[in-house]
Amino acid sequence: MATAARQTNPDLFPDLFSKHLSDRLKLLLVYAILIVATVQTIYPLFWMVFGSLKTDADLFNNVWGPPRMMVWQNYVDAWRIADLGARIGNSIIITVLSLTVLLIVSSIAAYALARLRFPGRGAIFLIILATMMIPPEVTVIPLFIVVRTLGILNSRFGLVFVYAGTSMAFSIFLLRGFFMSIPPELEDAALVDGANRLQVFWYVVLPLARPGLATVAIFQGMFFWNEFFLAFIFIRQAELQTIPLGLVNFFYRYSADWTLYFAALSMVTIPVIVLYVAMQRWFIEGLTAGAVKS
């Protein structure tokens, strides 16, 4: 049989070998690209941790390598200088409250734009999209005037409403696409069974929209946790400041304490990583199922 195959098609076996070699080379190329991407992503985290455990001399003499001697005192000093205990508490309170307000308002607005029929629905959605194009720095002065007029300047609640308001457009855009991916027949069946529109939204739509809500929570939660500019404008009292404002304490006029700064960064980065790992399944589902819908 093999002799007959060679006689009928003498180039068959070289072609198969060449194709197999080509597939292996493609696979090796894919693995090489993934390894480079992984190192590029993971190594900065290790570099930050390495820097947090070095002395100042070791940091400047051995920039890229691991520490020659573990200096755990850096974490103690960083915690004290940046007052991270109080600032972590403030960041948790502000982030949780901001996400609560944001998810409630944006989910209701997105559902209305996705399902309800009313005059001007398209124009409202276009206006919301247009606000996403405006840099936040442009709106700082009007926001400051509004917050001061309402009497919530220099307070946690003032910053909560600023965060929720500035993140509303993107959240509505993302959730609207996700709501439109949910089959409307499910809602029609609930309406036929006697449920009103609010009950349909609460008991039918929101449980199915958990990946989309998780996506918004991760995106905006990381933004709230790391945001500096708006917090610097609207919060001036030290006891109300968030983590990014505390990290400024490691930078002086002509120098910076990099080892303590890396130690503080290592401590405040952990909650973000834990949040993403805990919600990554919903995060990926929300991006693939809802964000590509229109």
Side-chain angles (χ1 to χ4, degrees):
M1 296 292 292
T3 303
R6 293 191 189 95
Q7 291 175 352
T8 56
N9 190 359
D11 296 330
L12 176 62
F13 290 97
D15 289 345
L16 289 175
F17 177 76
S18 177
K19 183 177 183 302
H20 182 66
L21 180 62
S22 176
D23 291 340
R24 289 179 65 87
L25 289 176
K26 290 179 181 179
L27 186 62
L28 288 175
L29 179 61
V30 170
Y31 276 111
I33 294 174
L34 290 176
I35 290 173
V36 171
T38 302
V39 172
Q40 186 180 12
T41 303
I42 299 298
Y43 182 74
L45 296 176
F46 283 101
W47 182 71
M48 178 182 66
V49 176
F50 289 162
S52 69
L53 294 170
K54 294 178 181 179
T55 62
D56 290 336
D58 191 13
L59 178 65
F60 291 105
N61 294 327
N62 177 29
V63 176
W64 303 109
R68 296 186 177 94
M69 181 180 64
M70 302 289 188
V71 185
W72 298 102
Q73 184 64 29
N74 287 341
Y75 284 85
V76 178
D77 295 339
W79 184 277
R80 175 180 52 82
I81 293 174
D83 194 15
L84 286 182
R87 288 187 165 91
I88 287 176
N90 290 331
S91 290
I92 291 175
I93 293 172
I94 291 173
T95 300
V96 171
L97 290 178
S98 300
L99 284 176
T100 302
V101 174
L102 177 65
L103 290 175
I104 291 174
V105 177
S106 63
S107 61
I108 295 174
Y111 180 72
L113 291 172
R115 285 289 188 261
L116 302 184
R117 307 291 177 181
F118 55 89
R121 185 181 69 159
I124 293 174
F125 183 63
L126 289 177
I127 292 173
I128 291 174
L129 290 181
T131 60
M132 294 173 58
M133 314 301 173
I134 302 175
E137 293 80 7
V138 176
T139 62
V140 166
I141 295 178
L143 268 177
F144 185 87
I145 295 174
V146 171
V147 171
R148 185 185 60 182
T149 303
L150 293 175
I152 55 176
L153 183 64
N154 204 24
S155 68
R156 295 189 186 96
F157 290 105
L159 190 59
V160 164
F161 289 116
V162 169
Y163 279 168
T166 54
S167 305
M168 195 67 64
F170 174 77
S171 302
I172 292 175
F173 168 73
L174 191 64
L175 289 175
R176 174 184 176 272
F178 199 89
F179 288 147
M180 293 185 68
S181 69
I182 298 175
E185 292 78 11
L186 298 175
E187 302 171 48
D188 294 339
L191 291 171
V192 170
D193 289 338
N196 57 41
R197 181 61 69 175
L198 183 60
Q199 291 173 326
V200 169
F201 172 72
W202 182 258
Y203 293 107
V204 178
V205 176
L206 282 186
L208 296 175
R210 283 181 297 180
L213 296 173
T215 303
V216 172
I218 292 175
F219 264 123
Q220 305 300 352
M222 289 190 295
F223 167 72
F224 299 154
W225 187 263
N226 297 314
E227 203 280 326
F228 173 82
F229 180 68
L230 294 176
F232 180 76
I233 296 297
F234 293 98
I235 298 291
R236 308 302 301 188
Q237 294 181 7
E239 60 271 17
L240 301 177
Q241 290 180 348
T242 56
I243 292 172
L245 298 180
L247 297 180
V248 178
N249 293 335
F250 301 109
F251 294 90
Y252 314 109
R253 185 172 184 179
Y254 299 110
S255 63
D257 202 332
W258 291 108
T259 56
L260 299 187
Y261 179 65
F262 288 150
L265 279 181
S266 300
M267 287 186 283
V268 301
T269 303
I270 293 175
V272 178
I273 297 176
V274 171
L275 176 67
Y276 178 80
V277 171
M279 305 180 71
Q280 62 178 334
R281 179 175 63 85
W282 287 347
F283 175 71
I284 295 172
E285 289 181 5
L287 285 179
T288 56
V292 298
K293 299 293 182 180
S294 59

